[in-house]
Amino acid sequence: PGLLENQAFVWALQGFIGAAFLVGLGRIIRRFGDKHMRAISTPDDYFSLILLTVWFFFAFLAVPNSTVNGEWHLLGYFFLASFFLFYVPFSKISHYLYYPFTRVYIGRALGHRGSYPVSRS
């Protein structure tokens, strides 16, 4: 909370989170607007993307950590963040969470073997 007392830091954080929100909106528009994206999308894709975009919106509002206009934006952010803790392991969003761990595992398990395909002599 002490970092959020610096207004420049709050603006920078809101800028990054706001950009993420706009990217999410763009991806929603593309997913609904492009017939090829609609053809390969499942309900979980739509749900995950919309949920993550709404979470970024609430995060943008919650960054100043102020209750001047009420606590609804802070509560929305924390409820969605809590929901993500339960939802992510069972959703398609989990690949973002597991990617660094799988890269380390694959690098250690297979990295010493050389490049693929393995040529047999």
Side-chain angles (χ1 to χ4, degrees), residues 37-104:
M37 290 296 291
R38 273 195 316 267
I40 63 170
S41 297
T42 64
D44 184 44
D45 294 331
Y46 292 110
F47 181 73
S48 298
L49 185 56
I50 290 170
L51 186 67
L52 195 59
T53 305
V54 170
W55 181 71
F56 279 129
F57 173 73
F58 277 105
F60 177 82
L61 297 177
V63 165
N65 202 18
S66 172
T67 58
V68 173
N69 297 325
E71 295 180 347
W72 63 272
H73 53 284
L74 293 172
L75 290 173
Y77 171 74
F78 286 122
F79 281 132
L80 284 172
S82 299
F83 177 73
F84 269 119
L85 290 175
F86 294 106
Y87 175 66
V88 166
F90 306 105
S91 72
K92 291 186 177 186
I93 303 174
S94 63
H95 68 277
Y96 291 115
L97 180 67
Y98 299 137
Y99 178 77
F101 302 109
T102 56
R103 292 302 300 166
V104 168

